[in-house]
Amino acid sequence: MGYKLQDVRKGVYKDGHEWADVVEYRQEHFLPALKALENRMVRWELIDTNEGEELRMVLPTNLPLGVKPIVLVVHDESTFNANDGWSKIWIKDDHIPLKKKSRGKGIMVSDFLTPRGQLRVPEGEHLNPDPEYGTQDGGPKRLDPHLASCSIEYGGDTWWDGDQLVDQVMKLAIPIFEVAFPGCQALFLFDNATSHSTYTKDALRASAMNLRLGGGQAQLRPGINSLTREIQLMVMPDGSPK
């Protein structure tokens, strides 16, 4: 009939996982840091019960007084767009149908996982970490009152950023972790996404400065003149930003 199954390609993507500097950091810093914490890590074993298989915690032994066991908590995000489509389509006579260039409106979901599944409030426990979280217009929304996950409809002037991730960690993930794993310490792992980069509001960043006085720029903390080592104020005498 003249049809063939073919990949729909829009470009070439290449990640940097095997770049020399990335490999060096992974082998010389990241993995040794995890190895140093191995003796404090909570282990998990699958056992058979009358109700089926169950994953149980095995706490490390002989920890020094005041040192808590560590539970690994990983974070990830997924995006879903209105114009997401199949990666393969049936094509006749090399006639490839035009697809919309825009991905359309999108939803981003941010969540945390532990070795026993999603980070969640245990059954029988009642916890509402922050009643105000998820109530702001245009901001992240909670997906489930028992989970640390949230979602945001992005596009236009609304995007997920590092400040929102910090907010999710502080207001949802940590309070839920403390109830789910009492007496333990969380080790959060995040990937190196640009949306995870965040700074204090008064950080000295050129991108937060205007070319002229005033405007909507941030009030930055004092800097240091690299030549004279003198303190250089970044605000006017009346406190307004330069």
Short mmCIF file of all heavy atoms in Angstrom, two decimals, residues 135-166:
data_model
loop_
_atom_site.label_atom_id
_atom_site.label_comp_id
_atom_site.label_asym_id
_atom_site.label_seq_id
_atom_site.Cartn_x
_atom_site.Cartn_y
_atom_site.Cartn_z
N THR A 135 -2.10 27.15 46.86
CA THR A 135 -3.33 27.95 46.74
C THR A 135 -3.12 29.22 45.92
O THR A 135 -4.09 29.91 45.62
CB THR A 135 -3.84 28.35 48.14
OG1 THR A 135 -2.84 29.13 48.81
CG2 THR A 135 -4.14 27.11 48.97
N GLN A 136 -1.86 29.52 45.53
CA GLN A 136 -1.60 30.75 44.79
C GLN A 136 -1.97 30.57 43.32
O GLN A 136 -1.69 29.53 42.71
CB GLN A 136 -0.12 31.15 44.89
CG GLN A 136 0.35 31.45 46.30
CD GLN A 136 0.75 30.21 47.07
OE1 GLN A 136 0.69 29.10 46.54
NE2 GLN A 136 1.15 30.39 48.31
N ASP A 137 -2.59 31.59 42.74
CA ASP A 137 -2.94 31.55 41.32
C ASP A 137 -1.68 31.48 40.47
O ASP A 137 -0.74 32.25 40.66
CB ASP A 137 -3.75 32.79 40.93
CG ASP A 137 -5.13 32.81 41.57
OD1 ASP A 137 -5.61 31.72 41.94
OD2 ASP A 137 -5.71 33.91 41.70
N GLY A 138 -1.66 30.56 39.51
CA GLY A 138 -0.53 30.42 38.61
C GLY A 138 0.65 29.69 39.19
O GLY A 138 1.66 29.48 38.50
N GLY A 139 0.58 29.29 40.46
CA GLY A 139 1.69 28.59 41.09
C GLY A 139 1.49 27.09 41.10
O GLY A 139 0.51 26.57 40.57
N PRO A 140 2.42 26.35 41.71
CA PRO A 140 2.30 24.89 41.79
C PRO A 140 1.06 24.47 42.57
O PRO A 140 0.62 25.16 43.49
CB PRO A 140 3.58 24.47 42.52
CG PRO A 140 4.51 25.62 42.37
CD PRO A 140 3.66 26.84 42.33
N LYS A 141 0.50 23.31 42.19
CA LYS A 141 -0.66 22.75 42.87
C LYS A 141 -0.30 21.36 43.39
O LYS A 141 0.39 20.60 42.73
CB LYS A 141 -1.85 22.64 41.92
CG LYS A 141 -2.22 23.94 41.22
CD LYS A 141 -2.65 25.02 42.19
CE LYS A 141 -3.05 26.29 41.44
NZ LYS A 141 -3.37 27.40 42.38
N ARG A 142 -0.80 21.02 44.57
CA ARG A 142 -0.58 19.68 45.11
C ARG A 142 -1.44 18.68 44.35
O ARG A 142 -2.60 18.95 44.02
CB ARG A 142 -0.91 19.64 46.60
CG ARG A 142 0.01 20.51 47.44
CD ARG A 142 -0.11 20.16 48.91
NE ARG A 142 0.38 18.81 49.18
CZ ARG A 142 0.37 18.24 50.38
NH1 ARG A 142 -0.11 18.91 51.41
NH2 ARG A 142 0.84 17.02 50.56
N LEU A 143 -0.87 17.50 44.09
CA LEU A 143 -1.60 16.46 43.37
C LEU A 143 -2.36 15.54 44.30
O LEU A 143 -3.37 14.96 43.92
CB LEU A 143 -0.62 15.65 42.52
CG LEU A 143 0.08 16.41 41.39
CD1 LEU A 143 1.09 15.51 40.70
CD2 LEU A 143 -0.95 16.91 40.39
N ASP A 144 -1.85 15.38 45.52
CA ASP A 144 -2.45 14.46 46.48
C ASP A 144 -2.05 14.92 47.87
O ASP A 144 -0.88 15.22 48.11
CB ASP A 144 -1.95 13.03 46.22
CG ASP A 144 -2.66 11.99 47.07
OD1 ASP A 144 -2.57 12.07 48.31
OD2 ASP A 144 -3.30 11.09 46.50
N PRO A 145 -2.99 15.00 48.82
CA PRO A 145 -2.65 15.49 50.15
C PRO A 145 -1.68 14.60 50.91
O PRO A 145 -1.11 15.02 51.92
CB PRO A 145 -4.01 15.56 50.87
CG PRO A 145 -4.89 14.62 50.11
CD PRO A 145 -4.43 14.68 48.69
N HIS A 146 -1.48 13.36 50.44
CA HIS A 146 -0.57 12.44 51.12
C HIS A 146 0.82 12.42 50.49
O HIS A 146 1.73 11.78 51.03
CB HIS A 146 -1.14 11.02 51.10
CG HIS A 146 -2.46 10.89 51.78
ND1 HIS A 146 -3.66 11.00 51.11
CD2 HIS A 146 -2.78 10.68 53.08
CE1 HIS A 146 -4.66 10.86 51.96
NE2 HIS A 146 -4.16 10.66 53.16
N LEU A 147 1.00 13.08 49.35
CA LEU A 147 2.26 13.03 48.61
C LEU A 147 2.99 14.36 48.65
O LEU A 147 2.39 15.41 48.91
CB LEU A 147 2.00 12.64 47.15
CG LEU A 147 1.32 11.30 46.90
CD1 LEU A 147 1.07 11.11 45.40
CD2 LEU A 147 2.17 10.15 47.44
N ALA A 148 4.29 14.30 48.35
CA ALA A 148 5.10 15.52 48.26
C ALA A 148 5.14 16.06 46.84
O ALA A 148 5.87 16.99 46.55
CB ALA A 148 6.52 15.23 48.74
N SER A 149 4.37 15.48 45.94
CA SER A 149 4.40 15.87 44.53
C SER A 149 3.54 17.11 44.29
O SER A 149 2.61 17.41 45.05
CB SER A 149 3.91 14.72 43.65
OG SER A 149 2.62 14.31 44.06
N CYS A 150 3.86 17.82 43.21
CA CYS A 150 3.07 18.97 42.81
C CYS A 150 3.16 19.12 41.30
O CYS A 150 3.99 18.48 40.63
CB CYS A 150 3.55 20.25 43.50
SG CYS A 150 5.17 20.83 42.94
N SER A 151 2.30 19.94 40.73
CA SER A 151 2.31 20.19 39.29
C SER A 151 2.11 21.67 39.05
O SER A 151 1.61 22.41 39.91
CB SER A 151 1.20 19.39 38.59
OG SER A 151 -0.08 19.89 38.96
N ILE A 152 2.51 22.11 37.85
CA ILE A 152 2.32 23.50 37.47
C ILE A 152 2.02 23.55 35.98
O ILE A 152 2.61 22.81 35.18
CB ILE A 152 3.57 24.35 37.80
CG1 ILE A 152 3.29 25.83 37.54
CG2 ILE A 152 4.78 23.89 37.02
CD1 ILE A 152 4.39 26.75 38.04
N GLU A 153 1.05 24.37 35.60
CA GLU A 153 0.76 24.61 34.19
C GLU A 153 1.70 25.72 33.71
O GLU A 153 1.61 26.85 34.18
CB GLU A 153 -0.70 25.01 34.01
CG GLU A 153 -1.69 23.92 34.38
CD GLU A 153 -3.12 24.32 34.09
OE1 GLU A 153 -3.31 25.28 33.32
OE2 GLU A 153 -4.04 23.68 34.65
N TYR A 154 2.61 25.36 32.81
CA TYR A 154 3.63 26.33 32.42
C TYR A 154 3.39 26.85 31.01
O TYR A 154 2.66 26.28 30.21
CB TYR A 154 5.02 25.72 32.53
CG TYR A 154 5.30 24.57 31.59
CD1 TYR A 154 5.77 24.80 30.31
CD2 TYR A 154 5.09 23.26 31.99
CE1 TYR A 154 6.02 23.75 29.44
CE2 TYR A 154 5.34 22.20 31.14
CZ TYR A 154 5.81 22.46 29.86
OH TYR A 154 6.06 21.42 29.01
N GLY A 155 4.06 27.96 30.74
CA GLY A 155 3.94 28.62 29.45
C GLY A 155 3.67 30.10 29.65
O GLY A 155 3.19 30.52 30.72
N GLY A 156 4.01 30.91 28.66
CA GLY A 156 3.83 32.35 28.81
C GLY A 156 4.78 32.89 29.86
O GLY A 156 5.99 32.76 29.74
N ASP A 157 4.23 33.48 30.92
CA ASP A 157 5.06 34.03 32.00
C ASP A 157 5.16 33.08 33.19
O ASP A 157 5.69 33.45 34.24
CB ASP A 157 4.47 35.37 32.47
CG ASP A 157 4.53 36.44 31.39
OD1 ASP A 157 5.47 36.38 30.58
OD2 ASP A 157 3.64 37.31 31.35
N THR A 158 4.65 31.87 33.07
CA THR A 158 4.64 30.92 34.18
C THR A 158 5.59 29.77 33.88
O THR A 158 5.40 29.04 32.89
CB THR A 158 3.23 30.36 34.43
OG1 THR A 158 2.33 31.45 34.66
CG2 THR A 158 3.22 29.43 35.62
N TRP A 159 6.62 29.62 34.72
CA TRP A 159 7.60 28.56 34.52
C TRP A 159 8.03 28.00 35.87
O TRP A 159 7.97 28.68 36.89
CB TRP A 159 8.84 29.09 33.77
CG TRP A 159 8.52 29.59 32.41
CD1 TRP A 159 8.26 30.89 32.04
CD2 TRP A 159 8.37 28.81 31.23
NE1 TRP A 159 7.97 30.97 30.71
CE2 TRP A 159 8.03 29.71 30.17
CE3 TRP A 159 8.49 27.46 30.94
CZ2 TRP A 159 7.82 29.27 28.87
CZ3 TRP A 159 8.29 27.03 29.64
CH2 TRP A 159 7.96 27.93 28.62
N TRP A 160 8.47 26.76 35.86
CA TRP A 160 9.02 26.12 37.05
C TRP A 160 10.47 26.57 37.21
O TRP A 160 11.24 26.58 36.25
CB TRP A 160 8.94 24.61 36.89
CG TRP A 160 9.50 23.81 38.03
CD1 TRP A 160 10.68 23.14 38.07
CD2 TRP A 160 8.88 23.58 39.30
NE1 TRP A 160 10.84 22.51 39.27
CE2 TRP A 160 9.75 22.76 40.05
CE3 TRP A 160 7.68 23.99 39.87
CZ2 TRP A 160 9.45 22.33 41.33
CZ3 TRP A 160 7.38 23.56 41.16
CH2 TRP A 160 8.25 22.74 41.87
N ASP A 161 10.86 26.95 38.44
CA ASP A 161 12.22 27.41 38.65
C ASP A 161 12.77 26.90 39.97
O ASP A 161 12.09 26.18 40.71
CB ASP A 161 12.30 28.94 38.59
CG ASP A 161 11.39 29.62 39.62
OD1 ASP A 161 11.12 29.02 40.68
OD2 ASP A 161 10.96 30.76 39.37
N GLY A 162 14.02 27.26 40.25
CA GLY A 162 14.70 26.76 41.44
C GLY A 162 14.03 27.20 42.73
O GLY A 162 14.00 26.44 43.71
N ASP A 163 13.51 28.42 42.77
CA ASP A 163 12.85 28.89 43.99
C ASP A 163 11.62 28.05 44.32
O ASP A 163 11.35 27.75 45.49
CB ASP A 163 12.44 30.36 43.84
CG ASP A 163 13.64 31.29 43.82
OD1 ASP A 163 14.69 30.91 44.37
OD2 ASP A 163 13.53 32.40 43.26
N GLN A 164 10.88 27.65 43.29
CA GLN A 164 9.70 26.82 43.53
C GLN A 164 10.09 25.42 43.99
O GLN A 164 9.40 24.81 44.81
CB GLN A 164 8.86 26.75 42.25
CG GLN A 164 8.20 28.07 41.89
CD GLN A 164 7.58 28.06 40.52
OE1 GLN A 164 8.10 27.44 39.60
NE2 GLN A 164 6.46 28.75 40.36
N LEU A 165 11.22 24.92 43.47
CA LEU A 165 11.70 23.61 43.92
C LEU A 165 12.11 23.66 45.39
O LEU A 165 11.78 22.75 46.17
CB LEU A 165 12.87 23.16 43.05
CG LEU A 165 13.53 21.84 43.45
CD1 LEU A 165 12.52 20.69 43.43
CD2 LEU A 165 14.71 21.52 42.53
N VAL A 166 12.83 24.70 45.78
CA VAL A 166 13.21 24.86 47.18
C VAL A 166 11.96 24.94 48.06
O VAL A 166 11.90 24.34 49.15
CB VAL A 166 14.08 26.12 47.37
CG1 VAL A 166 14.29 26.42 48.85
CG2 VAL A 166 15.43 25.94 46.68
#
